[in-house]
Structure formats: structure tokens, C-alpha cells
Amino acid sequence: MPKVNQAHLDARRQQIVDAARARFTEHGFAGTSMADVVAEAGLSTGAIYRYFSSKDDLVIAVCEQGSSAFPNDLTDDAIHDFLEHVRQLAKEKGHARLTAQIYAEAALSPALAEVVRDQLAGLRSKVIELLPEVPNAQATDAAEAFVAICVGYSQQLAVRGDVDPAPFAAALARTVSAGRT
């Protein structure tokens, strides 16, 4: 029997995660069965279960691969470009709908909640890193508000559809500015 290399295993795992993401985005977690993921991936049931023991494990894997397009600075233009990127992901890939589902599921799943908490903490840390001149307490407050507004914008995209990022970008810029004063 031929030996399968790690690159092949990684590619197969990614194929499954991509199939799950597509199904979850279109049909939701509750509306997607493992059989649906099997069909979407074009693999056997055994192949899916080799990598993931349950649908919950697949949800966590999808969440762990969340977008990481956070801006490298907190200028008005960088903030607007970041939110425009979030908007495009929502339009083209249903990312906001998927994120809304992940947050709802995290309220019920301790394992998923841990992943989401870690991701949100990572975003807050990035904001704090981008405010080196700001005292820690102020930077922490600005980071909390910044992430909350970003999450709110994503939720608005999920529920309302296409939403202009301009007012959210302005609120984020004011949050950053207030943190710097």
C-alpha cells in the first residue's frame, strides 16, 4: 500500500473543512449533517471521520481558520479598508453569516466558546499593539470597543445584507482617537 505524505493529509483535511464551511454558510449548522459534508467534499464517510470525529469538531476547525486580515495600523484609511474587506468577505463568501452562526453556537458549546474567546482576545491584543503610545488601561478600553464595533458590523452584515462600512469606520476612528487622548 502506498504511503500517504503529510501534504496529502493536510490537503484532504482542508478539503473537508472547505466543504463544511460551504455547507454551514449556506444551510447553517443545524441544517447540515455529516452526510451533507461527505457529499459536498466528494469523499467517503470514513475519510471524513478519519479527520473529524463529529460535526462539532468540524465547526471548531472552520472557526479556527477565521480570517486574519486585521489592519497593520489604525489610520482612518486602514480601518476603512479593513471593514471593506469584511464587507467583501460577507458578499462573496457569506463570511458574516457564518460568523453569526459561530457566535450563536459558541453560546452553547464550551469548546467553541474557548476558540472564539481566544480569537477575540487576539484581536484586542492586536489593537493594543497598534497603540504603543497609549497607557495600557486606555489601550485596553479602546481595544474592547474596537472589537465590539467590528463584531457589530459583521452581525449587521449577516442580518441586513450589504451595509456601508463608513459609519462603522468613523466610529472606529473615533474610538482609536479617544484612546490616544
Side-chain angles (χ1 to χ4, degrees), residues 28-77:
F29 297 140
T32 300
S33 67
M34 287 299 272
D36 294 328
V37 175
V38 167
E40 183 79 22
L43 300 171
S44 69
T45 302
I48 304 292
Y49 282 102
R50 175 180 185 182
Y51 295 91
F52 301 98
S53 63
S54 68
K55 185 167 76 170
D56 290 342
D57 289 346
L58 264 172
V59 171
I60 289 170
V62 166
C63 181
E64 288 173 338
Q65 291 186 358
S67 176
S68 60
F70 201 77
N72 293 323
D73 58 39
L74 295 178
T75 63
D76 292 357
D77 287 342

Side-chain angles (χ1 to χ4, degrees), residues 67-154:
S67 176
S68 60
F70 201 77
N72 293 323
D73 58 39
L74 295 178
T75 63
D76 292 357
D77 287 342
I79 291 169
H80 185 272
D81 291 349
F82 167 65
L83 290 183
E84 189 58 48
H85 176 73
V86 170
R87 182 185 194 187
Q88 290 306 311
L89 284 175
K91 282 182 184 178
E92 296 167 8
K93 299 187 181 222
H95 189 264
R97 288 179 34 208
L98 181 61
T99 301
Q101 293 175 68
I102 287 170
Y103 285 175
E105 190 66 24
L108 304 172
S109 166
L112 184 58
E114 182 178 343
V115 172
V116 171
R117 279 192 304 270
D118 289 347
Q119 288 177 336
L120 293 173
L123 291 174
R124 289 189 301 271
S125 292
K126 286 180 183 178
V127 172
I128 292 168
E129 288 172 19
L130 294 172
L131 297 171
E133 73 284 1
V134 177
N136 193 45
Q138 285 175 257
T140 299
D141 290 349
E144 286 287 353
F146 191 97
V147 171
I149 293 168
C150 289
V151 169
Y153 179 60
S154 178

